[in-house]
Amino acid sequence: MKRFTPYEQWHSPSLENGAFSHLNTLFSLNGLSDWPQCAWFSSFLDAKNANQQTIRFVDDACFSEEERYYEQIIFDTGKVPTRQQNWHDLFGGLIWCLFPKTKALINQRHVEEITLHGTKVRSKHRNALTLFDECGVVLAVSDDVWPALLKNHQWQQAFIEQRALWGKTIAPFMFGHANYEMLTKPYIGLTGKALFVKVPSDIFCKDLAQQYQYIDQTLYEMISVDNCLRDNSQLSPLPLLGVPGWYDNNNPEFYSNTDYFRPKRRTRT
C-alpha cells in the first residue's frame, strides 16, 4: 500500500466528501479559506480535563523544550500541543470539541497507564485507547441486527440491501482523527475501527449537536464503567469508503471488490 501524503496547503475541496458533513454542519469547516489558528477552537469548546484543567489548544512550537509525554502535558496543564497547518492536529482538535468527556477520560487513562508501566511499555488497554483515538468510528445503532451484520462482514446486506436504514436505525460518528486526515485523500483500502453504541431510536431525530452530546456521554460510561477499551476486542474493521454517503458508492458494483470488502475469515476448528 502506498504511503499516505496529505495536502501540504489548505484544500477546501477535499472537505466536500460526505464523511465531513458533520464537521461542515457544526464548524463550517469547508467555509474556511485557510488554516485556523489555535484560538479558533475556543469558540467551540468549554471543557476541563480529568485534572480540572481547562482545555486549550497551544502551538506545538511552544513545547520544544518540554520533556513530558504528550498526554502528560494535556493532563497536567490542560494545554493540547497543536501543530499549525497540520490536518492531523486540526481534526484532533475538532474531536476534542465533539467528544470532550470521552477525550478527557482517554487522556486520564493514558496517564494512569504511563504511571503504571512507563512510556516504553504499552499495555493492551493503552494500545486500544490509541487505536480508537486514531481510527475509531462510533456506530450508533437502535437495532441489534447491525453489529451482527458488520462484525460478520456482511457488507452486501449492510451497505446495499439495508442502505435505506442508514440514518434511521444506524448512524456513523467519526472519532478517529487519523481517519479524517486520510479521508482528505480517500483511497481504496482505507479502513477504520468500529465500536457499536446502542442508542434509543429517537436519537436520530435530535439535532446533530444533541446527538454528539448523547454519544459522548454514552461513550464515557462505556469506557469508564464497562471498560470496553480494556483491549481492542470490541473494535471491528469498517471499510470507510463503504459507508453510505461517505464516498461515491451508490453503484452496488463498488462493493464487489473483495480485496477491500473482505469476507469474514472462518475460524479453524
Side-chain angles (χ1 to χ4, degrees), residues 17 155-156 158-160 163 183 186-191 238-262:
N17 183 319
W155 311 122
Q156 295 285 325
F159 291 139
I160 300 175
R163 193 177 188 86
L183 279 163
Y187 58 88
I188 299 298
L190 182 53
T191 302
L238 181 71
L240 297 181
L241 304 191
V243 175
W246 278 13
Y247 193 66
D248 183 12
N249 54 27
N250 288 321
N251 188 336
E253 284 298 314
F254 177 73
Y255 297 94
S256 65
N257 182 352
T258 55
D259 287 333
Y260 186 30
F261 298 99
R262 297 180 178 180

Side-chain angles (χ1 to χ4, degrees), residues 6 15 30 78 102 105 135 160-161 174 215 219 237 240 257 265:
L15 303 173
N30 58 340
T102 303
L105 176 60
C135 304
I160 300 175
E161 296 174 24
M174 192 79 80
I215 298 296
L219 262 181
L240 297 181
N257 182 352
R265 289 183 180 177

Side-chain angles (χ1 to χ4, degrees), residues 107-124:
N107 171 242
Q108 179 186 15
R109 288 292 182 90
H110 272 294
V111 171
E112 290 172 351
E113 291 291 295
I114 289 171
T115 300
L116 287 173
H117 305 289
T119 58
K120 294 182 179 179
V121 177
R122 296 181 67 90
S123 64
K124 289 184 178 180

Side-chain angles (χ1 to χ4, degrees), residues 70-258:
Y70 174 81
E71 297 288 353
Q72 292 172 311
I73 296 172
I74 297 174
F75 185 79
D76 291 344
T77 69
K79 298 176 181 178
V80 180
T82 305
R83 290 168 293 184
Q84 301 299 283
Q85 300 185 6
N86 181 279
W87 293 106
H88 194 82
D89 286 11
L90 167 65
F91 294 124
L94 291 173
I95 297 300
W96 265 104
C97 296
L98 293 170
F99 300 97
K101 291 183 179 180
T102 303
K103 285 289 290 184
L105 176 60
I106 288 176
N107 171 242
Q108 179 186 15
R109 288 292 182 90
H110 272 294
V111 171
E112 290 172 351
E113 291 291 295
I114 289 171
T115 300
L116 287 173
H117 305 289
T119 58
K120 294 182 179 179
V121 177
R122 296 181 67 90
S123 64
K124 289 184 178 180
H125 182 38
R126 193 154 169 242
N127 281 337
L129 293 170
T130 300
L131 184 61
F132 183 67
D133 207 14
E134 296 284 344
C135 304
V137 182
V138 175
L139 290 179
V141 297
S142 60
D143 188 332
D144 290 333
V145 70
W146 289 108
L149 286 178
L150 291 165
K151 286 182 179 180
N152 287 296
H153 298 193
Q154 299 297 306
W155 311 122
Q156 295 285 325
Q157 189 171 350
F159 291 139
I160 300 175
E161 296 174 24
Q162 305 294 334
R163 193 177 188 86
L165 295 179
W166 284 78
K168 297 179 180 178
T169 62
I170 181 173
F173 296 81
M174 192 79 80
F175 194 95
H177 52 288
N179 288 343
Y180 269 135
E181 179 183 21
M182 288 185 285
L183 279 163
T184 60
K185 281 186 175 181
Y187 58 88
I188 299 298
L190 182 53
T191 302
K193 293 294 183 179
L195 179 67
F196 295 90
V197 175
K198 188 65 180 295
V199 298
S201 57
D202 64 350
I203 189 68
F204 304 116
C205 300
K206 299 181 183 296
D207 70 50
L208 193 57
Q210 289 179 307
Q211 291 182 49
Y212 271 97
Q213 290 170 4
Y214 184 92
I215 298 296
D216 186 27
Q217 179 63 38
T218 304
L219 262 181
Y220 177 90
E221 294 170 4
M222 288 175 62
I223 297 170
S224 62
V225 179
D226 302 332
N227 205 19
C228 69
L229 292 180
R230 61 187 177 278
D231 53 36
N232 63 15
S233 61
Q234 293 197 41
L235 299 176
S236 181
L238 181 71
L240 297 181
L241 304 191
V243 175
W246 278 13
Y247 193 66
D248 183 12
N249 54 27
N250 288 321
N251 188 336
E253 284 298 314
F254 177 73
Y255 297 94
S256 65
N257 182 352
T258 55

